[in-house]
Amino acid sequence: MDTDDHQSFEQSRPHSHEISIPNFVQFWLILPFYIPSVVCSLFVLYHFITVRTLRVALHNHVIIILLSINLVVQLTDMLWNLIYYCQNQALWPIPVFCTVWITVDEGLGIAITIFFAWAAIERHILIFHDRLVSTHQKTILFHYLPISTIFLYLICYISIVIIFPPCVNTYDYDHILCGSPLCYYELRLVTVWDVVVNHSVPIFLIIVGSVGLLLRIVHQKSRMRQPIRWRNYRKLTIQLLSISFVYLILHTPHTLMEFMYLCGVPEEVGKDFMSYAEFSSYYSNLLLPFICAGSIPELKTKVKHLLSWCGRSTRSVHPHTVTLPQQRRAD
């Protein structure tokens, strides 16, 4: 590999995670949202799993997978980031921990993006081509097989590229994510694959799938004039569009900058913007549980009942002053 090729590889590498905001400020920018988000994740995921009608619904399977992966990211990657912001060092300064940390941050981040893209595609199948999942065999082919294929791809990619890369990683324990990026970004093919296949194409599919779903729903509603059919699909559409909107707002700038660097734009262009965009992308993990909770009418009703019950219980335990009648004195 000559010097010019190596420089081109370096230009396409992701940039430093460090931004000009002090670590303790980043800590307090994340913490107020982190704790409520984790609680909401547990509550929503428990509701999806325990309520049979939600658990068996095909359109909820990808949402359950997204919430599960997101919860793992919250309890590991985001928690370790908060610890780093406090002590300015990796929680455990050893290579094994750094590998796990980067695997969760990079690998599960890719997983969330790809499953979002599949959710945008699958909504079209469930709404406009529901005959493709009308039988058990068709459900396996068009629902379970794509999900299994995505899992298989993620396991292979994470194992080969992140956990057992074809090069030697160098870790810096005084930087977040142990000084990521990994050494595989020095390989042009892997860099192009990561930026295009793992990030750019899924983001494009999310945009096309979400906008296309909205346009098809509006066209179908005006053409068929069946409000009942629209009400049946409204929850599926609103759920996808709300999640996609937040995810795209927070992730598209980062992905767009990565693609521009891959095309040869100097890394000095938008370097600070890239760092802030990468930090802002964590808020998609924090907001996802709240968006999912807001898209479940049954869950909102249950929360209202719980809050009203708590309010009644609080009022019922207020202390009362009891005045005892005084005994008459004996004459």
Side-chain angles (χ1 to χ4, degrees), residues 209-225:
S210 302
V211 175
L213 180 63
L214 180 60
L215 294 178
R216 292 183 72 178
I217 287 289
V218 173
H219 175 71
Q220 196 84 350
K221 180 184 176 183
S222 60
R223 186 171 64 88
M224 299 184 65
R225 302 183 183 277

Side-chain angles (χ1 to χ4, degrees), residues 222-249:
S222 60
R223 186 171 64 88
M224 299 184 65
R225 302 183 183 277
Q226 294 182 358
I228 297 178
R229 188 179 180 88
W230 159 246
R231 286 197 296 267
N232 293 335
Y233 296 149
R234 182 174 56 186
K235 184 170 68 173
L236 295 180
T237 306
I238 293 177
Q239 185 184 63
L240 173 66
L241 293 180
S242 57
I243 296 175
S244 299
F245 176 77
V246 174
Y247 189 82
L248 290 173
I249 289 295

Side-chain angles (χ1 to χ4, degrees), residues 35-179:
I35 297 177
S37 181
V38 172
V39 174
C40 185
S41 295
L42 294 171
F43 186 72
V44 174
L45 193 56
Y46 173 82
H47 186 74
F48 267 116
I49 295 176
T50 56
V51 179
R52 187 179 184 280
T53 55
L54 295 177
R55 185 177 67 249
V56 301
L58 296 181
H59 64 274
N60 285 332
H61 290 174
V62 175
I63 301 299
I64 293 174
I65 292 173
L66 286 171
L67 285 171
S68 301
I69 297 175
N70 190 72
L71 181 61
V72 174
V73 173
Q74 288 179 323
L75 297 178
T76 54
D77 179 41
M78 299 195 71
L79 179 60
W80 295 337
N81 287 349
L82 291 174
I83 294 174
Y84 169 81
Y85 295 145
C86 290
Q87 62 184 27
N88 297 316
Q89 188 183 45
L91 177 59
W92 292 295
I94 55 176
V96 174
F97 172 75
C98 290
T99 301
V100 174
W101 192 3
I102 297 172
T103 299
V104 174
D105 183 89
E106 182 77 12
L108 297 190
I110 293 172
I112 292 176
T113 303
I114 294 178
F115 274 114
F116 264 134
W118 169 243
I121 297 173
E122 189 183 40
R123 288 299 189 271
H124 289 264
I125 297 176
L126 297 177
I127 294 178
F128 299 103
H129 308 283
D130 53 349
R131 64 184 181 278
L132 295 178
V133 290
S134 58
T135 65
H136 181 66
Q137 291 77 11
K138 291 182 178 180
T139 302
I140 293 176
L141 181 61
F142 293 101
H143 177 70
Y144 292 106
L145 183 59
I147 293 177
S148 302
T149 303
I150 293 174
F151 272 119
L152 181 61
Y153 165 75
L154 291 170
I155 292 173
C156 294
Y157 181 84
I158 293 172
S159 300
I160 296 174
V161 177
I162 300 180
I163 301 179
F164 307 106
C167 53
V168 179
N169 290 316
T170 302
Y171 300 113
D172 185 352
Y173 306 119
D174 293 328
H175 289 78
I176 194 169
L177 289 171
C178 300

